[in-house]
Amino acid sequence: METTMERPSMNPLKMGAEFKTFSVSGKKGMEMPEHISTKEAVVMIKKGKALLKIDGEEQELHENELHIIPAGKPHSLLLLEDFEAFALMQKSSEIEFL
């Protein structure tokens, strides 16, 4: 499968006293290169399908699913279809690309 050089977009939505939320969206073939979240994150898939690579394994993410991404675990995301998701993480959490 061909991938583009463009990354999915990650846009801030709301910030509370302890948590922040983002929308994640992109077109089929886009890839988010390997990165970590410094704190645990929850991702809810709103639309589409993607391939999550984490711990040497691949997991397909599907519409209406929830996934927990452990803190400090390197992972990447390849969009298999046009994709929309929401991410929830602690306010102090950062995303670091490797």
Side-chain angles (χ1 to χ4, degrees):
M1 172 179 291
E2 286 186 36
T3 60
T4 68
M5 295 303 288
E6 292 184 64
R7 293 182 184 176
S9 65
M10 192 164 179
N11 298 307
L13 291 174
K14 303 232 178 203
M15 188 165 312
E18 299 200 23
F19 295 97
K20 58 186 173 184
T21 59
F22 294 88
S23 66
V24 180
S25 61
K27 299 288 184 188
K28 177 180 178 178
M30 288 182 164
E31 188 166 12
M32 179 113 16
E34 194 168 56
H35 60 284
I36 64 164
S37 176
T38 58
K39 307 259 184 189
E40 192 171 67
V42 177
V43 179
M44 186 194 86
I45 314 311
K46 182 178 172 187
K47 173 186 166 189
K49 186 168 47 171
L51 187 65
L52 175 68
K53 297 176 186 177
I54 188 168
D55 282 339
E57 295 191 16
E58 297 180 348
Q59 299 175 16
E60 273 195 14
L61 309 183
H62 299 96
E63 192 170 312
N64 297 320
E65 290 182 345
L66 286 171
H67 293 272
I68 297 175
I69 308 295
K73 289 271 186 177
H75 58 283
S76 64
L77 191 69
L78 173 63
L79 305 187
L80 302 175
E81 298 176 357
D82 289 355
F83 185 81
E84 294 178 21
F86 295 111
L88 170 71
M89 56 187 71
Q90 290 182 11
K91 191 174 178 180
S92 62
S93 183
E94 298 293 330
I95 295 173
E96 299 175 357
F97 287 92
L98 305 177

